[in-house]
Amino acid sequence: MERLLTLYREWCGKEPARCEQLPGAGSNRSYYRMTDDEGHSVIGCIGTSRDENHAFVYLAKHFTKRQLPVPEVLAVSSDELRYLQTDLGTVSLFDAIRGGREAGGRYTVAEQELLRRTIRELPNVQFRGARELDFSNCYPQPAFDVEGVLFDLNYFKYCFLKATELDFHELKLEADFRLLAKDLTAAPSSPSEEESNIAEQSDCFLYRDFQARNVMMDAEGNPFFIDFQGGRRGPFYYDLASFLWQASARYPDKLRHELLDEYYEAAQQYVEMPKRDVFDRRLRLFVFFRTLQVLGAYGFRGYFERKQHFIKSIPPAMQNLRELLALDELPYPYLVELLRRLTELPQYQQLEVVAQTRSDGYKTTDLNPYNAHPKDGPATFSKYDAQGPLVVKVFSFSYQKGIPEDESGNGGGYVFDCRSTHNPGRYEPYKKLTGLDEPVIRFLEDDGEILTFLDSVYKLADAHVKRYIQRGFTSLMFCFGCTGGQHRSVYSAQHLAEHIHQKFGVEVRICHREQNIRQVLKD
């Protein structure tokens, strides 16, 4: 620590006013926030491996030169075991999207936007960052290769698989491991796959540990990247698999596919990408490999080091593995059969159970047509559920005389303003007619505006009526207004009433208030 303070004094010319150690991560490196008396701070690092520190310092300087969003190295000790870098703040992407993660993968629009910004920036680091980069400075190896893949697969075997005490054939497993390693690192094997290596075999920086914890967010929500010292030359698929299939993140399939689209589009600005079907198929292979790799890490950190965070990450990682095995695309028969048996072990049969009670004491109901998240528990009982058949009331009215009151006591329903559509009442032939008369109907339908207007109304009404029927509600109200309550509103109310009656078979009561016309369409 004293040598780090010496480095700070040599760089700054004075002692730091405060020095606090930051929480440890997965490596043996120690980080400190060092702040002067004016509130300006830098991050100091003490490492145990000169080669690892050298890799970070070299990569950070190279990326800074290429104007990539990374911390700037400010000072380095002569033995390269200590260095100072710019302070990127205290909020990581992992922190910023905590709400969505803890809600079981329900990410808000704002959280999704942070993820999109991050994934769009990844090709910039991978491809622009690789330009003129001397990969011989990378640690612990310069490139993604067969030996590295086999090391990770054996890490899974010894740190996870053996810890489960599941019986397996060592030689058969080793044969499939070697075949998988060959497939992950090999050039395309058929003409139909030639495009798969267009970008993959060009210079690409493989971040290696690309995850939400290693992305810092500035005040404007822009991402900055840290902890890339384990990077090397390699396929871009690896980082996508690491980020989007992070077990604890629980990204929904829809969001994951949207983020993949963002990446694919952004990457095309830097390299010629493979066709999308080839890209997707090749990515799934890396997702499979990455899943085994992280299970190895979770096994070591969880089963052997007894770190609860990693133990809790195992069930969602196992679920990722189940989903991959269900695709039946993997040409490794013994490995696949062994992994199926692994996922069926009792300790990995984690099912999210819906809570049957509420801590607030409210009465609950089994009648709930909504697809609620299991974490949310049961819905409250509603006195309005299952009360009888639905009756729909549809009104036409003049805005000059006010919106009709809802006599059911429910406070009203939909009110649609027809006054933007073409008004037949402005023309003499229709002055004394209503929206029920054939000449007015012909005028409105030939014009077409009212039909477009009603198409949108029908979509809203259909969804609402369907849900009210499901819940057993008894009353729903629609109102259409225009200037005089004579033409457009009458036409619209009549047609919606007939549409609902014909489609759902419920009773519909029509009231053209300004025309003193009432009608009931019986169920």
Side-chain angles (χ1 to χ4, degrees), residues 501 505-508 520-523:
H501 182 258
V506 298
E507 180 176 322
V508 183
V520 177
L521 306 178
K522 291 286 188 180
D523 58 8

Side-chain angles (χ1 to χ4, degrees), residues 265-337:
E265 181 180 349
Q268 292 182 92
Q269 301 176 37
Y270 304 98
V271 294
E272 183 180 359
M273 292 292 284
K275 290 181 179 178
R276 187 56 190 264
D277 62 330
V278 176
F279 170 86
D280 290 338
R281 186 169 63 251
R282 188 85 173 133
L283 175 60
R284 284 193 289 271
L285 188 64
F286 278 85
V287 173
F288 176 60
F289 167 61
R290 180 61 176 161
T291 301
L292 299 184
Q293 184 188 47
V294 298
L295 282 172
Y298 293 164
F300 178 74
R301 300 289 187 184
Y303 293 147
F304 293 97
E305 295 187 344
R306 310 306 301 171
K307 294 182 177 179
Q308 288 301 309
H309 163 72
F310 294 98
I311 292 176
K312 290 179 180 178
S313 296
I314 290 173
M318 293 297 287
Q319 183 57 33
N320 281 349
L321 184 57
R322 286 189 192 91
E323 292 171 3
L324 288 165
L325 296 175
L327 297 175
D328 288 328
E329 293 180 344
L330 299 164
Y332 316 108
Y334 183 75
L335 176 58
V336 167
E337 186 272 332

Side-chain angles (χ1 to χ4, degrees), residues 478-511:
F478 295 91
C479 298
F480 292 87
C482 64
T483 306
Q486 181 178 345
H487 301 98
R488 296 165 292 180
S489 62
V490 169
Y491 174 93
S492 298
Q494 189 70 29
H495 279 74
L496 176 65
E498 292 172 357
H499 168 86
I500 291 173
H501 182 258
Q502 181 178 5
K503 185 166 186 175
F504 297 99
V506 298
E507 180 176 322
V508 183
R509 300 175 184 176
I510 308 168
C511 175

Side-chain angles (χ1 to χ4, degrees), residues 1-8 19-34 42-54 56-57 73 75-77 79-85 227 229:
M1 180 61 192
E2 181 56 38
R3 292 184 180 182
L4 184 63
L5 291 172
T6 299
L7 181 64
Y8 181 89
C19 183
E20 59 174 320
Q21 186 169 3
L22 303 180
S27 72
N28 294 321
R29 295 142 65 87
S30 300
Y31 294 93
Y32 299 84
R33 174 166 285 109
M34 311 174 79
V42 297
I43 300 298
C45 175
I46 302 175
T48 58
S49 167
R50 178 196 171 278
D51 291 339
E52 184 180 20
N53 273 19
H54 173 80
F56 178 83
V57 169
V73 173
V76 185
S77 65
D79 60 4
E80 291 192 290
L81 289 177
R82 286 158 290 279
Y83 61 83
L84 303 178
Q85 67 178 53
D227 281 1
Q229 62 273 4

Side-chain angles (χ1 to χ4, degrees), residues 82-330:
R82 286 158 290 279
Y83 61 83
L84 303 178
Q85 67 178 53
T86 50
D87 187 353
L88 297 177
T90 60
V91 180
S92 68
L93 177 61
F94 183 82
D95 298 325
I97 62 173
R98 182 184 303 276
R101 185 174 60 255
E102 293 181 349
R106 291 177 292 173
Y107 291 90
T108 64
V109 171
E111 290 167 341
Q112 291 179 38
E113 178 57 26
L114 295 179
L115 290 166
R116 288 190 174 89
R117 290 188 183 189
T118 300
I119 205 72
R120 283 197 298 262
E121 195 64 37
L122 176 59
N124 190 20
V125 175
Q126 291 176 316
F127 300 117
R128 282 190 61 237
R131 295 173 189 170
E132 301 179 10
L133 192 153
D134 182 356
F135 286 97
S136 66
N137 289 283
C138 293
Y139 172 86
Q141 59 189 100
F144 180 82
D145 57 17
V146 170
E147 288 75 16
V149 172
L150 288 175
F151 177 88
D152 287 331
L153 291 174
N154 281 302
Y155 191 49
F156 162 72
K157 179 174 75 172
Y158 289 110
C159 293
F160 190 89
L161 193 57
K162 282 185 175 290
T164 67
E165 299 183 353
L166 189 67
D167 289 333
F168 60 89
H169 195 294
E170 293 268 5
L171 294 179
K172 290 182 179 180
L173 180 62
E174 182 67 20
D176 274 355
F177 275 177
R178 290 191 174 278
L179 182 58
L180 174 58
K182 179 182 176 182
D183 289 344
L184 288 165
T185 57
S189 57
S190 67
S192 63
E193 295 181 352
E194 284 181 0
E195 292 185 63
S196 70
N197 270 30
I198 290 174
E200 189 177 329
Q201 294 301 323
S202 63
D203 278 349
C204 174
F205 177 73
L206 187 159
Y207 198 118
R208 178 72 178 180
D209 196 16
F210 185 61
Q211 57 165 307
R213 292 179 187 272
N214 290 337
V215 180
M216 304 301 293
M217 311 303 298
D218 69 8
E220 286 73 43
N222 298 310
F224 286 78
F225 302 101
I226 62 172
D227 281 1
F228 39 74
Q229 62 273 4
R232 63 202 67 176
R233 175 187 276 117
F236 56 80
Y237 298 105
Y238 185 100
D239 293 331
L240 276 174
S242 297
F243 188 75
L244 294 180
W245 275 264
Q246 177 74 31
S248 60
R250 299 188 178 184
Y251 298 128
D253 286 341
K254 180 175 182 292
L255 175 59
R256 186 181 285 145
H257 290 148
E258 290 172 356
L259 293 173
L260 278 176
D261 291 342
E262 294 277 0
Y263 174 86
Y264 190 82
E265 181 180 349
Q268 292 182 92
Q269 301 176 37
Y270 304 98
V271 294
E272 183 180 359
M273 292 292 284
K275 290 181 179 178
R276 187 56 190 264
D277 62 330
V278 176
F279 170 86
D280 290 338
R281 186 169 63 251
R282 188 85 173 133
L283 175 60
R284 284 193 289 271
L285 188 64
F286 278 85
V287 173
F288 176 60
F289 167 61
R290 180 61 176 161
T291 301
L292 299 184
Q293 184 188 47
V294 298
L295 282 172
Y298 293 164
F300 178 74
R301 300 289 187 184
Y303 293 147
F304 293 97
E305 295 187 344
R306 310 306 301 171
K307 294 182 177 179
Q308 288 301 309
H309 163 72
F310 294 98
I311 292 176
K312 290 179 180 178
S313 296
I314 290 173
M318 293 297 287
Q319 183 57 33
N320 281 349
L321 184 57
R322 286 189 192 91
E323 292 171 3
L324 288 165
L325 296 175
L327 297 175
D328 288 328
E329 293 180 344
L330 299 164

Side-chain angles (χ1 to χ4, degrees), residues 350-409:
Q350 184 192 51
L351 299 175
E352 290 190 285
V353 180
V354 179
Q356 298 302 311
T357 60
R358 295 171 61 106
S359 60
D360 57 17
Y362 281 96
K363 184 180 178 181
T364 62
T365 180
D366 294 329
L367 181 63
N368 186 9
Y370 304 98
N371 293 320
H373 194 279
K375 282 179 174 278
D376 293 337
T380 55
F381 170 80
S382 171
K383 66 180 181 180
Y384 301 106
D385 284 338
Q387 292 300 302
L390 177 66
V391 175
V392 178
K393 300 172 185 175
V394 185
F395 291 78
S396 66
F397 69 94
S398 165
Y399 272 101
Q400 295 173 350
K401 298 182 179 180
I403 299 171
E405 292 186 7
D406 181 9
E407 298 176 353
S408 71

